[in-house]
Amino acid sequence: MPIHTTPTGWVLETGSTGYALGLNSAGLLVHTYWGARLPRPEDYPTPPVPREWASFNGIAHLAREEYPAYAGTQYNEPCFKATFANGVRDAVWVFEGAETTTGAQPQLTLRLRDAAYPLRLALHYRLHEALDLIERWAEIHNPGSEELTLERVFSALWHVPTGESYTLAHLNGKWLDEFHILREELLPGVKALESRRITTSHHHNPWFLLERAAAPASETAGEAWFGVLAWSGSWKLAAEVNDFGSTRVGIGINDWDFVWRLNPGETFTTPASLGGYTQHGRGAASRRLHDYIRRQVLPHGAELHKVLYNSWEATTFNVDEESQIELAELAAEMGVELFVMDDGWFHGRDDDHAGLGDWWPDEGKFPHGLGGLARRVNQLGMDFGLWVEPEMVNPNSELYRAHPDWAIHFPGRVPTQARNQLILNFARSDVQDYIIEKLDRLLTETNIAFIKWDMNRNVSEPGWEGAPGDPREIWVRYVQGVYRVWGTLRERHPRVIWQSCSGGGGRADLGILRLADQVWVSDNTEPCARLSIQEGFSQVFPANVMEAWVTDSGPEYLSLEFRLHVSMCGSLGIGGHLKHWGPTLRAEAAHWIAVYKEVRAIIQQGDQFRLRSPQAYAYSAVQYLAKDQGEGVLFAFRTHLAPPAPTPALRLQGLAPEALYTLEGFPGARSGRSWMEAGVQIELQDFHSTLRRIQRVA
Ligand code: GLA
C-alpha cells in the first residue's frame, strides 16, 4: 500500500522514498518526514507537540506546515495569501477530511476549509511509485456568494530535515548562455528565484536540488532532494531557512503583480510541482526526472526523433522554394530525415521588422504556397517542418493594423518593442481563436510533420483593457491561452512533433513539455559552450528533448567530428550552410549521421551518466546506456588543457557489475565492475573528442 493512513496522518511511499505528514494537536497540517522509505508505517515520525517561543514566534511559525497560509503569527513564506470581500486578509485552515485512491498512480487528497469564511482548499498528492516521485498541486474553491481575491497560491512547499544546512543547486543564465549550474549554501533568510517575464525565462529554471552542506552529493552518491514546477509562465521559488533551523522550498506561480479574482462557485487549480529524494546523487535525481518526462509528460515520449536540418543559419529570412529545395537535396543525401524551414516564409517577412501575425505564405516568395516545397521534401524521403512565432505581432503587419488592441499594452504608454515586435494578448479568447484558425489552416493545407514554436521576447506593459476579471490575471490567463491554442492544434494534428523555442532555451519546463516534444536549448551553437549548456540542461531534461544542431560556429578551431559529437549527445540536427560545406564535409557528416542512427535509441531513450563535468573541467565525458544495460555510448571531449595535463580516468557507470563489456578501441572484455571501478583513460589532444561504443559480450 503506497498510501498509509496512520492515527495522526498519512505516509506516502514510492519505490524507495517515504513522505509523511499529519495533524498536530493544535490542528495544523504539518510535514514530518521526506527521505528514505522506512520498513513500517509506524516507523515514520509523528507530528511533534506544538510549541511557541516567546511572544514573538507562535505555534504556526515553529510548525513545519504543509501548506501555510498568511495568518496569525506565522511569518515564514506562506503558500497562500488571499483577501475576502469584506477586507479580511488572512486564511485559517481547518482540516475537513482525506480521500485516497489506489491504482497505477495512487492519490491522496486532503480537504481543508477556512475557519470562518467560505474558502476551500484541496491538497493533492499523486504518487509515481516506480519513478520514485511525488506530484503535488492545490485547488482553491470559493463556495460563497462573494468574490475572493487570491494574491499568492503556490503549488507546494517542500520541507527537508530540520537542523541541517543545505546547499541549493539551481540553473542560471541568459540568452545565448543558459543553464549554468550554481550551488550556494542557504543561510537564514529567503533565496528567491523567479521569472517575471510571463514565460519560464533563460535566467532561471523552475528546478531545485538541495544537498546537505556538510555532506554534498556527487554524481553517483549522496542525498539529494529535488523538484520542479510544471509551469510556463512567471514563477517563483522561495528557498527559506527560518530562524529555527527549518529549511523549506516553496514553489508556484509568481505572486509578483499577481491577483486572481475567484468568483462564487469557481475553482483555481495550481500547476503541479514534482519532488523526489535519492541517496544516489545528482545523476540519479536527473535520471528520475528524465524517465518521468519521457514516460509521463511528453506527447511522443517513446518515439525516436528524426535527424533534422534547419535552414535558418544558412538562409535566414531569404527563403524561397528554390533555395530551400537546394538545401533539402543536400540534406537528404546526408541522411537527414526532417527538413525544417525557419523564419522568413510568411506574409511580408523580409526581415525582423514585419510580418509576425500574418501566418500565411508570403505571396512573393511562395506564389503557389508551401505545398510545392513540402512535396519535394517528402519526395526526397524527408518530413517537412516549419517555424512559427504565434504569440507575437509586428506593428508592421496586417494583423496589427486590423487589431492594434490585441497587443499587450498599457493605455497611454508607448508599448516597448523588442526585436520590433509586441506580444499578442493570448489571455483573450478572440486572439486564441484567430491563431488557432490560422495555424490549423496551415497544418491542414500542407503536409507539416514538425513545428518549431518560438517566442523571441518577454512581456512589458502587461495591461489588459476590458479584462473580464482583474487585469493582473493576465500573468496566468496568458499561459493558459498558450496551452489552449497549442493543445487544440495538437488535438487536431496529433502526429505533429512540436519544438519549444524561446530565443533558445527560454521556455523549457514540464508544462510546455506536455505540448512540445523537444526544446531548442540555446541560440548559442558554439560547441564548447554547448557542452556546458547541455550539462546544465541535462539536470532536468532527457537527451531526446534536447535538440542540438551542428552549425557553422567553431570550424576555425574545431573539427566537424567534434562539433557532431557534441550534437550527437542529444537529438541531432544540422544547421550549417550545406552549400558551403562542400562534398567532403557533407560526406563526413553523412558518416556520423549514420552512426547516430545506430546509437540514437541509447542516447534518446537510455540512461544518461555525466562522467565528468564540462562546466568544471576542460576534459569532460558523458555516457548513455540502454535500459537493459546491454549497449552504451561514451563521449569524451577535450577543449583546451594547459600542460601538464594528465588524462583523467573515466569511470563508467550503470553497467551490470558481473557482466563482461567491451569498449570500442580497447582490446578484450572487462567486467562491468572493472570499467566502473578502475575506469579507462582515453588520450585526447586539445579540441578533440571521441565516441566509443560499449557492448555487453557475456
Ligand atoms: C530565434 C530562434 C532561432 C531562429 C530565429 C528566427 O532567435 O532561437 O533559432 O528561429 O529566432 O527569427
Side-chain angles (χ1 to χ4, degrees), residues 312 342-343 387 419 452 454 456 501 503-504 520 523:
W312 168 245
D342 209 277
D343 201 348
W387 177 97
R419 210 192 188 206
K452 172 175 171 182
D454 210 337
N456 275 315
C501 174
W520 176 230
D523 279 348

Side-chain angles (χ1 to χ4, degrees), residues 369-385:
L370 301 178
L373 174 59
R375 274 191 297 279
R376 181 71 190 123
V377 167
N378 292 159
Q379 275 166 8
L380 289 165
M382 298 183 292
D383 286 344
F384 177 64

Side-chain angles (χ1 to χ4, degrees), residues 313-314 525 527 550-556 563 575-578 580-581 585:
E313 297 196 11
T525 53
V550 175
T551 68
D552 293 328
S553 175
E556 314 78 29
R563 289 149 58 209
H577 201 318
L578 296 185
H580 300 170
W581 280 23
L585 284 187

Side-chain angles (χ1 to χ4, degrees), residues 166-221:
Y166 290 89
T167 302
L168 171 70
H170 57 99
L171 295 169
N172 171 266
K174 53 188 174 300
W175 179 65
L176 284 185
D177 188 27
E178 299 91 336
F179 301 113
H180 292 273
I181 307 162
L182 299 187
R183 292 180 205 285
E184 53 190 294
E185 186 171 343
L186 292 174
L187 297 175
V190 180
K191 166 82 189 178
L193 304 172
E194 64 178 345
S195 161
R196 296 181 179 184
R197 295 167 179 265
I198 219 166
T199 186
T200 328
S201 103
H202 301 83
H203 297 252
H204 301 283
N205 195 268
W207 167 80
F208 67 90
L209 184 140
L210 292 175
E211 302 167 357
R212 293 188 195 275
S218 67
E219 279 293 327
T220 53

Side-chain angles (χ1 to χ4, degrees), residues 110-227:
L110 301 177
R111 299 202 182 276
L112 297 95
R113 63 172 169 80
D114 184 82
Y117 289 93
L119 162 63
R120 293 188 187 284
L121 165 70
L123 298 178
H124 296 281
Y125 299 79
R126 183 182 287 143
L127 304 191
H128 300 278
E129 279 184 88
L131 294 160
D132 248 346
L133 293 166
I134 299 177
E135 186 182 355
R136 295 177 57 185
W137 71 101
E139 268 179 336
I140 311 295
H141 180 65
N142 177 1
S145 54
E146 290 180 289
E147 72 180 46
L148 172 69
T149 305
L150 306 181
E151 289 145 7
R152 176 185 280 194
V153 200
F154 273 0
S155 298
L157 183 64
W158 297 99
H159 291 270
V160 288
T162 44
E164 294 260 359
S165 294
Y166 290 89
T167 302
L168 171 70
H170 57 99
L171 295 169
N172 171 266
K174 53 188 174 300
W175 179 65
L176 284 185
D177 188 27
E178 299 91 336
F179 301 113
H180 292 273
I181 307 162
L182 299 187
R183 292 180 205 285
E184 53 190 294
E185 186 171 343
L186 292 174
L187 297 175
V190 180
K191 166 82 189 178
L193 304 172
E194 64 178 345
S195 161
R196 296 181 179 184
R197 295 167 179 265
I198 219 166
T199 186
T200 328
S201 103
H202 301 83
H203 297 252
H204 301 283
N205 195 268
W207 167 80
F208 67 90
L209 184 140
L210 292 175
E211 302 167 357
R212 293 188 195 275
S218 67
E219 279 293 327
T220 53
E223 286 181 290
W225 292 259
F226 57 95

